[in-house]
Amino acid sequence: AEVASQSAEQLAVTVSPANLAYVIYTSGSTGKPKGVAVTHEAAARHLRAIQEVFALTSEDRFLQFASQSFDVSVEQMLAPLLTGASIVLRGDEVWSTRDFLKCLHEERLTVVNFPPAFWQQITQDLLADDELSDRCELRLVIVGGDLLSAEAARRWMSTSLGQARLLNAYGPTEATITATTFDITKQAVAEANEALPIGRAVGSRVLYVLDQEGHPVPLGVFGELHIGGPLLARGYLNQAVLTAAAFVPDPFSRSE
């Protein structure tokens, strides 16, 4: 009765694309937590782009595996929901390979995103005792957050789940979740020396590998990765000096 007596007029929404969508703290390489501030525009544009990379449809069932203290949890929840897909929540418990396989079948998972350590544990357990006899619907496995070796991918591909599409995902929190992806195919594994590439930019991001003077390096020469474009975070919350040091002007941009 109390609710029924309230006005039915729609509330005015004053949020603009430039407003903050979330702040997630990351220590980075300094060890001191920094709040990375991401706008609605950057988050929304990224989620639309990653939907295409993952080829998500309303038929998918996406595992929400990451803790909400990590920005990839935003991707794991909102990208499927924006597509009309289903998300399956892992919960707070620590999973074993058996727990994952049980969920894989019972919930008919089609897309999973794992940190490398857990992905490698699944690989090791399946190679030791591959009990997966039933056909499953898994079509995409995303692994990100650390260096991936060609040997680890080769081992995974020899398991019963190895026929699913495998993606190497990379992205600092400052670049709004997943900045690059690389399709790990059997050919890519065969051609790789040790470490697998991080791939190409997701969405409208631009990537530069620069030397210490800020100049592009030739092919095969070591440099530092710089990420540009409109999908970057606004900066560090209440950290103007750190923001100015990390979020530098793009000398290669043609925009005014």
Side-chain angles (χ1 to χ4, degrees), residues 46 49-50 52-54 75 142-143 165-171 178-184 197-203 205 207:
H46 167 71
I50 207 68
E52 294 186 14
V53 174
F54 293 168
E75 185 177 280
I142 305 127
V143 185
R165 179 188 177 199
L166 184 61
L167 268 184
N168 185 15
Y170 165 81
T178 302
T180 74
T181 58
F182 177 75
D183 266 286
I184 305 175
I198 61 171
R200 297 188 178 275
V202 172
R205 294 173 179 85
L207 308 178

Side-chain angles (χ1 to χ4, degrees), residues 195-223:
L196 289 163
I198 61 171
R200 297 188 178 275
V202 172
S204 55
R205 294 173 179 85
V206 290
L207 308 178
Y208 306 106
V209 180
L210 307 178
D211 61 22
Q212 293 182 344
E213 304 299 323
H215 302 303
V217 299
L219 287 175
V221 175
F222 286 104

